[in-house]
Amino acid sequence: VALKRMLNFNVPPVKNSTGEPVWKVLIYDRFGQDIISPLLSVKELRDMGITLHLLLHSDRDAIPDVPAVYFVMPTEENIDRMCQDLRNQLYESYYLNFISAISRSKLEDIANAAIGANAVTQVAKVFDQYLNFITLEDDMFVLCNQNKELVSYRAINRPDITDTEMETIMDTIVDSLFCFFVTLGAIPIIRCSRGTAAEMVAVKLDKKLRENLRDARNSLFTGDTLGAGQFSFQRPLLVLVDRNIDLATPLHHTWTYQALVHDVLDFHLNRVNLEESAGTESTPAGARPKKKNKKSYDLTTSDKFWQKHKGSPFPEVAESVQQELESYRAQEDEVKRLKSIMGIEGEDEGAISMLSDNTAKLTSAVSSLPELLEKKRLIDLHTNVATAVLEHIKSRKLDVYFEYEEKIMSKSTLDKSLLDMISDPDAGTPEDKMRLFLIYYISSAQAPSEIDLEQYKKALMDAGCNLAPLSYIKQWKAFTKMASAPTSYGNTTAKPLGLFSRVMNTGSQFVMEGVKNLVLKQQNLPVTRILDNLMEMKSNPETDDYRYFDPKMLRGSDSSVPRNKNPFQEAIVFVVGGGNYIEYQNLIDYIKGKQGKHVLYGCSELFNATQFIKQV
């Protein structure tokens, strides 16, 4: 909503206006691009009158009779470039929007440039948008994508970090969280664990919200904020957790669709990049092997199949894709018939979607065709994505890993020794084995004896694993042992439903022989359990000493005694040090069972196990 308002020159778009939108150019930097791209498609931008969208630091030609909307971070180089645009008189008028608040001195730089270029009247509006965070789902956000190594898990947990570096990281995180609450239009009640980076974030955020509220004239939380209607009378709870409370989950192999896509494919800011396997035609000897095509697909909120199945276990997804495909095949003759009525048999599908509305009103045939073609596009997309995931599951035996890790984490009896798993040459990549071993090491109540450890190390090295992460986890474990008892992961496991028989003998796209049909039972991961305690006001040793901040209270009091005794309806969980889709899915599943409650999941960065293991 905030972005659309900004693109409409910072006035809320009128619902029923029939007129053409004002044509304009959008100029963004990489930060702005990352914020807009998961939310608005090119078509949606065009509907809002954006004819061109360009990067600030690209070579841009002057378009003298068009207004330009800028959406950039207030950095030195961005501001220099904007001043240069003013001097070169590139556009008719300038609407300057800063992703994060701009300082007084930088504003003066722009003002001086505008005076120097005689362009004061053309700078129509200057806004701080407070949008310095990236929304990936209706209930999930991540702080930044550019320069994310600055706030990464490693950056926060480096042993040799200086106080000033830590301050800078915390300020970056707090700036984004502050933007998030300005956009929500709500002041949260903050809870956090003691003695962690999360606590530093809480203290700074409390202070920043307090200062803003105290300056009543310029407070961002009064009057007509966007989210005012959303959280009407009750304030949301913000739970700040530190990644270090649970290092097993980010390494865990997973079994739900979205988390699998993120784990095994290249999935980033809601876009998945696939290498298409080159055709199976044999290449003549001596010829160059065919280059693999890279294809990218957007998995967005408008994709109904994705919305419905992203949290489903993979076998269910395969089955649903198959059903969709069959129902589409039944309609395929209809598509052919419609195409021939319209005389566009050979036409490219892209051309059809471009047909304008006027022609669409001619016949009902036309109106149902784009819908069917869109359905076909989604089926093809998910067939490709699911097939790519399945190849990984089969070649790396990910179902076996998932089931085995679930057993370790829930302390069930193991049917096969860990050593056998590690030394099995057919099961998984060296990294899969390392992840399995680290989960075992993190979850075990007593660390394995030196003799056993040597044996495991040798097996891991023979399997080609890099042992670097182990030494970090060892130190981490020794340190947390002093701090607290090991986290428990509930005591439920995945139940195999027997192998896929029913789906698979119907000539399916997906050859799933040998892949276990595992069904998940809801179990709360540590992050979800902490949220449950704090949201429902349960007393639990795990969370009883969490600090309590209320920025609206005049005097900050350092207590962990909550003033309000009622359970919360809205909560935001934010993981300092990085999050993953497994936790996100776990929270969503948890809140489904709670009538009328909402939870949002945010993290300083989103990583999969491969990216996480490199940071450890």
Side-chain angles (χ1 to χ4, degrees), residues 287-305:
R288 285 221 307 259
K290 282 209 171 69
K291 220 176 115 232
K292 288 194 171 177
N293 282 340
K294 272 219 154 110
K295 269 221 142 140
S296 65
Y297 302 106
D298 289 315
L299 298 173
T300 59
T301 33
S302 57
D303 176 340
K304 292 197 185 64
F305 185 89

Side-chain angles (χ1 to χ4, degrees), residues 19-297:
E20 287 277 288
V22 182
W23 299 110
K24 48 194 168 288
V25 221
L26 170 64
I27 312 285
Y28 47 51
D29 59 0
R30 293 255 178 245
F31 287 91
Q33 186 179 26
D34 289 340
I35 292 169
I36 292 173
S37 68
L39 292 173
L40 298 171
S41 65
V42 175
K43 183 182 177 311
E44 286 171 290
L45 289 175
R46 199 168 54 223
D47 292 344
M48 299 197 64
I50 305 285
T51 49
L52 266 178
H53 41 97
L54 303 161
L55 278 166
L56 177 66
H57 294 284
S58 57
D59 289 330
R60 304 191 310 276
D61 299 329
I63 314 178
D65 45 358
V66 182
V69 175
Y70 285 75
F71 184 52
V72 295
M73 285 295 263
T75 59
E76 283 296 333
E77 55 205 334
N78 282 353
I79 292 190
D80 290 347
R81 186 62 191 259
M82 290 161 103
C83 295
Q84 195 181 318
D85 288 354
L86 291 173
R87 282 194 287 276
N88 298 341
Q89 300 188 340
L90 288 189
Y91 307 108
E92 176 195 49
S93 55
Y94 303 84
Y95 292 80
L96 309 181
N97 296 284
F98 295 102
I99 296 172
S100 197
I102 183 172
S103 66
R104 179 75 205 216
S105 63
K106 287 181 180 154
L107 252 181
E108 285 169 1
D109 295 344
I110 297 178
N112 289 331
I115 293 168
N118 271 339
V120 177
T121 49
Q122 291 164 298
V123 179
K125 290 183 179 172
V126 182
F127 267 83
D128 287 333
Q129 287 294 348
Y130 293 101
L131 287 174
N132 191 12
F133 58 94
I134 300 174
T135 311
L136 294 177
E137 307 270 349
D138 291 343
D139 44 20
M140 178 185 208
F141 68 99
V142 47
L143 291 197
C144 60
N145 172 41
Q146 303 296 321
N147 309 348
K148 62 174 172 225
E149 58 285 347
L150 300 179
V151 295
S152 66
Y153 177 80
R154 171 182 280 175
I156 301 173
N157 292 285
R158 276 195 3 241
D160 56 345
I161 190 166
T162 64
D163 287 357
T164 35
E165 287 173 314
M166 195 65 173
E167 289 286 311
T168 317
I169 294 173
M170 295 299 127
D171 288 340
T172 314
I173 293 179
V174 167
D175 178 66
S176 284
L177 280 173
F178 180 74
C179 289
F180 175 79
F181 285 107
V182 172
T183 307
L184 260 192
I187 303 268
I189 283 173
I190 307 171
R191 302 292 306 266
C192 68
S193 50
R194 294 175 185 266
T196 57
E199 182 177 28
M200 298 167 75
V201 172
V203 172
K204 279 181 178 284
L205 182 62
D206 177 60
K207 179 164 173 269
K208 189 160 182 152
L209 287 166
R210 220 168 257 284
E211 283 166 1
N212 190 271
L213 285 171
R214 197 157 298 150
D215 177 5
R217 232 186 18 197
N218 298 320
S219 172
L220 296 160
F221 292 98
T222 49
D224 61 324
T225 44
L226 295 168
Q230 214 174 350
F231 295 119
S232 38
F233 46 90
Q234 211 202 6
R235 291 166 55 194
L237 164 74
L238 167 65
V239 180
L240 287 164
V241 243
D242 196 285
R243 179 72 273 158
N244 284 319
I245 60 158
D246 172 15
L247 291 186
T249 304
L251 296 167
H252 190 17
H253 287 88
T254 170
W255 200 234
T256 54
Y257 190 28
Q258 183 175 34
L260 267 169
V261 169
H262 187 233
D263 190 5
V264 302
L265 305 177
D266 172 14
F267 180 55
H268 187 63
L269 294 183
N270 292 354
R271 169 170 294 177
V272 64
N273 296 311
L274 284 186
E275 281 194 355
E276 294 208 310
S277 42
T280 45
E281 315 93 71
S282 55
T283 346
R288 285 221 307 259
K290 282 209 171 69
K291 220 176 115 232
K292 288 194 171 177
N293 282 340
K294 272 219 154 110
K295 269 221 142 140
S296 65
Y297 302 106

Side-chain angles (χ1 to χ4, degrees), residues 453-462 467 470 474:
L453 194 59
E454 283 312 311
Q455 227 184 339
Y456 285 128
K457 274 182 163 172
K458 184 175 180 318
L460 287 164
M461 278 168 76
D462 292 344
L467 291 184
L470 181 58
K474 241 173 150 171

Side-chain angles (χ1 to χ4, degrees), residues 298-563:
D298 289 315
L299 298 173
T300 59
T301 33
S302 57
D303 176 340
K304 292 197 185 64
F305 185 89
W306 178 243
Q307 286 312 310
K308 190 171 161 196
H309 293 292
K310 62 184 187 195
S312 310
F314 187 73
E316 262 177 49
V317 175
E319 195 170 335
S320 306
V321 173
Q322 190 58 32
Q323 283 165 357
E324 293 278 320
L325 192 61
E326 279 157 22
S327 80
Y328 174 76
R329 283 199 180 129
Q331 293 168 303
E332 203 156 32
D333 305 335
E334 178 70 354
V335 173
K336 289 204 178 97
R337 194 176 67 76
L338 295 175
K339 279 187 170 179
S340 67
I341 291 175
M342 294 165 61
I344 47 174
E345 280 98 332
E347 285 287 332
D348 167 43
E349 293 177 4
I352 298 170
S353 62
M354 300 301 275
L355 288 171
S356 72
D357 301 12
N358 301 335
T359 49
K361 291 184 187 123
L362 293 176
T363 67
S364 64
V366 187
S367 62
S368 55
L369 187 59
E371 199 177 306
L372 284 170
L373 290 174
E374 173 61 10
K375 196 170 171 186
K376 167 102 165 59
R377 186 186 73 79
L378 291 180
I379 294 171
D380 291 346
L381 183 160
H382 287 286
T383 306
N384 291 343
V385 173
T387 308
V389 170
L390 181 61
E391 280 170 14
H392 280 275
I393 293 179
K394 284 162 71 170
S395 65
R396 291 160 55 184
K397 298 200 178 163
L398 298 183
D399 49 338
V400 180
Y401 275 93
F402 167 70
E403 195 183 16
Y404 199 85
E405 288 165 10
E406 288 274 305
K407 285 183 179 163
I408 291 177
M409 287 161 87
S410 59
K411 314 253 186 294
S412 326
T413 45
L414 303 172
D415 48 355
K416 188 175 173 187
S417 86
L418 183 64
L419 217 48
D420 291 348
M421 285 283 287
I422 294 170
S423 36
D424 178 355
D426 297 331
T429 59
E431 187 182 86
D432 290 326
K433 298 181 179 190
M434 197 62 199
R435 280 163 66 178
L436 173 68
F437 180 71
L438 290 175
I439 289 174
Y440 161 73
Y441 191 85
I442 291 168
S443 313
S444 57
Q446 283 91 26
S449 68
E450 280 305 310
I451 305 169
D452 288 353
L453 194 59
E454 283 312 311
Q455 227 184 339
Y456 285 128
K457 274 182 163 172
K458 184 175 180 318
L460 287 164
M461 278 168 76
D462 292 344
C465 300
N466 168 13
L467 291 184
L470 181 58
S471 51
Y472 175 81
I473 297 285
K474 241 173 150 171
Q475 285 171 333
W476 169 83
K477 192 162 169 119
F479 178 74
T480 27
K481 204 173 204 153
M482 304 184 307
S484 69
T487 328
S488 81
Y489 291 90
N491 51 356
T492 50
T493 50
K495 295 262 182 292
L497 266 197
L499 296 176
F500 288 95
S501 45
R502 191 163 64 75
V503 202
M504 297 318 154
N505 45 24
T506 52
S508 158
Q509 291 273 323
F510 300 101
V511 189
M512 314 260 310
E513 285 129 63
V515 176
K516 297 185 178 189
N517 191 358
L518 301 167
V519 177
L520 300 173
K521 277 176 59 182
Q522 169 67 13
Q523 60 187 53
N524 289 342
L525 292 172
V527 169
T528 310
R529 240 191 2 255
I530 289 169
L531 169 81
D532 181 48
N533 292 340
L534 296 171
M535 200 169 173
E536 302 296 338
M537 294 286 167
K538 298 179 180 170
S539 174
N540 186 314
E542 191 175 15
T543 49
D544 281 349
D545 70 331
Y546 268 46
R547 288 187 64 179
Y548 178 95
F549 295 92
D550 181 349
K552 278 192 172 173
M553 287 299 192
L554 276 171
R555 286 188 312 283
S557 62
D558 176 28
S559 78
S560 45
V561 184
R563 297 236 164 9

